[in-house]
Amino acid sequence: MTLDPETDLKLERVVDAPRDLLWLCWTTPEHIKNFFIPAPHKVTECDLDLRVGGRFNTVFEVDGQRMDNRGVFLEIDPGKKLVFTDGYTEGWKPAEKPFMTAILLLEDVGEGKTRYTAIARHPTKEIREQHDQMGFHEGWGIVLDQLVGYVKGLKV
């Protein structure tokens, strides 16, 4: 995949967690609530319809404020690739102010480890810069650390 440095941000790490459990967490509302936003902020609601065109809706609580996030899944390759965007909402209704399309790639690297790649594609250079200044790498890194810690505590 070719990235555009003007509009794309990327976080890639090899993590000590199996790909199937990372996938399970990213595709199950009860699990998403445990890692999807850096603590102490919270995901208070999550509603998924895991199919292309299906909803990916979350509600965050950030500093006591409610933040509604509406989106849809664009591509799903079970266990390997998840693409979602806030550029549309369910029913392919265009969003008023799209922020990004997220691409999550999971690849086995052996011994229960996974290459985890998160890409955020933005509609403009300015929005990409805004996301970078908001702390994309730090924030998405915290989310990944929270996810790996959560996966280690799962009893599957």
Side-chain angles (χ1 to χ4, degrees), residues 86-113:
D86 66 353
Y88 293 94
T89 59
E90 194 170 25
W92 300 111
K93 182 174 168 77
E96 187 175 322
K97 293 181 183 178
F99 185 68
M100 72 170 188
T101 296
I103 303 168
L104 178 68
L105 304 170
L106 303 172
E107 178 187 352
D108 286 323
V109 293
E111 299 178 8
K113 297 180 189 278

Side-chain angles (χ1 to χ4, degrees), residues 7 9 85-88 95-102 120-124 126-132 134 136 140:
T7 56
L9 293 167
T85 186
D86 66 353
Y88 293 94
E96 187 175 322
K97 293 181 183 178
F99 185 68
M100 72 170 188
T101 296
R121 295 195 130 161
H122 304 86
T124 66
E126 293 75 23
I127 293 173
R128 179 230 182 256
E129 288 173 359
Q130 176 188 1
H131 198 184
D132 195 24
M134 289 168 56
F136 167 81
W140 284 58

Side-chain angles (χ1 to χ4, degrees), residues 74-95:
L74 298 175
E75 185 177 349
I76 300 167
D77 184 356
K80 297 178 184 172
K81 185 177 186 182
L82 193 62
V83 181
F84 56 93
T85 186
D86 66 353
Y88 293 94
T89 59
E90 194 170 25
W92 300 111
K93 182 174 168 77

